[in-house]
Amino acid sequence: MGKAKVYFTKDITPEAMIRMYEVMGVKLPGRVAVKLHSGEVGNQNFLRPDFMKPVIDYVEGTIVECNTAYEGKRNTTKEHWETMKLHGWTEIAEVDIMDEEGEIELAVPKGRRIQRNYVGSHIENYDSMLVLSHFKGHPMGGFGGALKNISIGLASSHGKAYIHGAGNVEEIWTSDHDSFLESMADASKSIMDYFEGKIVFINVMKNMSVDCDCCAVAEDPAMADIGILASTDPTALDQACLDLVYASDDPGRDHLLERIESRNGVHTIEAAAQIGVGEREYEIIDL
């Protein structure tokens, strides 16, 4: 089969998002879920609706999100809907809070830390998925990209606590750190298995703060924007983004890398490759 293909462009525009979807050569069938990050209220770095709208329209997709497991303006369905409206998502597309009516359990038979993953029950309403991820730092995961977006991002509120606690919701903030990262990889495997090839990924390397879009108070980005990448392999995609950060000569690079390395962020990629979510070896194709 050869190495995974990762497509790259320096052009960070709404039109480039459509080109990056097209170049993968996959036509997502049926009802398409579009997973993105709604952004915590107060966050200045999340990618805005006007940037995402053209590609969402192109696939005739529904924006999907799940409630959070921590304090904020997205931890209940009521507040999450208010945030979706405040940030303009409801104005550009149909929106679905997928755990609004509960959760379903997906099996992870070969999971290293968890053997089940709890996701929003509305996932059953979709035939395929386009994953639009904002690549940036993260207070716990080190970085957030495609793997985080389909693991923590698609988990129900309870499921997020389950992943964070590596199978024990009581240890949501106290579990062994590498076990948490491995649980994210396990959860991402269940999503890949669920959609069986009917899922594709676009990562946007823009506004790369050390903090996630889930932070109401986030640092401004210290390094310059890099571009947009796309792949059918989320592991290769996140690895390629990480490699681009390392290869950058931008003076703000080291600040972002300190966050990623101090949280052992690469371990999520390592664990995902080990359980067959994807592969770390890839071929970069410049557009």
Side-chain angles (χ1 to χ4, degrees):
M1 292 178 62
K3 296 178 181 178
K5 289 182 171 61
V6 177
Y7 301 92
F8 172 71
T9 179
K10 293 180 180 178
D11 184 17
I12 307 178
T13 64
E15 295 75 22
M17 294 287 281
I18 294 175
R19 289 199 301 273
M20 296 306 277
Y21 169 74
E22 290 178 324
V23 77
M24 288 184 280
V26 176
K27 175 71 170 75
L28 294 175
R31 192 173 183 198
V32 182
V34 180
K35 176 64 180 76
L36 48 73
H37 199 300
S38 47
E40 186 56 64
V41 174
N43 185 278
Q44 74 275 35
N45 298 318
F46 72 94
L47 301 178
R48 298 305 199 267
D50 58 350
F51 182 81
M52 299 292 207
K53 176 177 167 54
V55 73
I56 296 170
D57 287 347
Y58 190 79
V59 301
E60 299 179 351
T62 298
I63 296 169
V64 300
E65 263 280 39
C66 285
N67 294 321
T68 61
Y70 49 82
E71 292 301 314
K73 296 297 184 181
R74 297 179 301 129
N75 66 335
T76 67
T77 297
K78 178 179 181 294
E79 289 195 304
H80 206 161
W81 272 115
E82 290 173 357
T83 298
M84 283 291 194
K85 291 171 185 173
L86 176 68
H87 285 169
W89 296 113
T90 56
E91 295 178 16
I92 69 158
E94 183 181 350
V95 172
D96 184 2
I97 308 296
M98 290 205 299
D99 59 338
E100 183 171 11
E101 297 179 288
E103 64 188 19
I104 63 167
E105 180 181 316
L106 301 182
V108 196
K110 296 181 180 178
R112 294 178 61 183
R113 296 295 171 184
I114 57 174
Q115 280 70 52
R116 59 188 63 86
N117 181 31
Y118 300 98
V119 301
S121 64
H122 290 182
I123 197 171
E124 295 179 313
N125 297 334
Y126 301 95
D127 304 295
S128 58
M129 180 170 282
L130 170 61
V131 184
L132 305 179
S133 304
H134 178 202
F135 187 90
K136 70 286 179 192
H138 191 276
M140 291 193 70
F143 76 91
L147 291 169
K148 179 180 178 295
N149 208 1
I150 61 170
S151 55
I152 288 287
L154 288 173
S156 64
S157 181
H158 159 252
K160 287 177 171 63
Y162 189 82
I163 293 169
H164 267 284
N168 184 349
V169 295
E170 301 300 321
E171 296 183 7
I172 178 172
W173 307 125
T174 58
S175 67
D176 171 72
H177 186 71
D178 280 359
S179 295
F180 154 59
L181 301 178
E182 290 163 11
S183 295
M184 279 205 293
D186 292 343
S188 67
K189 181 70 166 73
S190 73
I191 299 300
M192 295 298 285
D193 290 348
Y194 184 83
F195 283 108
E196 295 182 310
K198 298 185 289 291
I199 181 169
V200 297
F201 304 85
I202 299 175
N203 279 10
V204 183
M205 301 186 75
K206 173 182 172 67
N207 298 349
M208 290 181 289
S209 169
V210 297
D211 291 320
C212 180
D213 299 340
C214 59
C215 301
V217 180
E219 271 195 34
D220 287 333
M223 76 175 293
D225 300 341
I226 291 179
I228 303 174
L229 295 88
S231 183
T232 58
D233 184 328
T235 307
L237 182 60
D238 280 354
Q239 181 68 62
C241 289
L242 195 55
D243 289 344
L244 282 172
V245 175
Y246 274 101
S248 173
D249 58 5
D250 187 275
R253 177 201 78 148
D254 290 348
H255 186 52
L256 180 56
L257 285 178
E258 189 282 329
R259 172 60 59 88
I260 295 170
E261 292 176 350
S262 66
R263 273 64 167 184
N264 197 21
V266 71
H267 190 55
T268 306
I269 296 172
E270 294 170 342
Q274 287 168 358
I275 63 169
V277 177
E279 54 186 295
R280 298 180 71 184
E281 298 266 327
Y282 62 89
E283 173 191 0
I284 195 90
I285 301 170
D286 286 298
L287 300 179

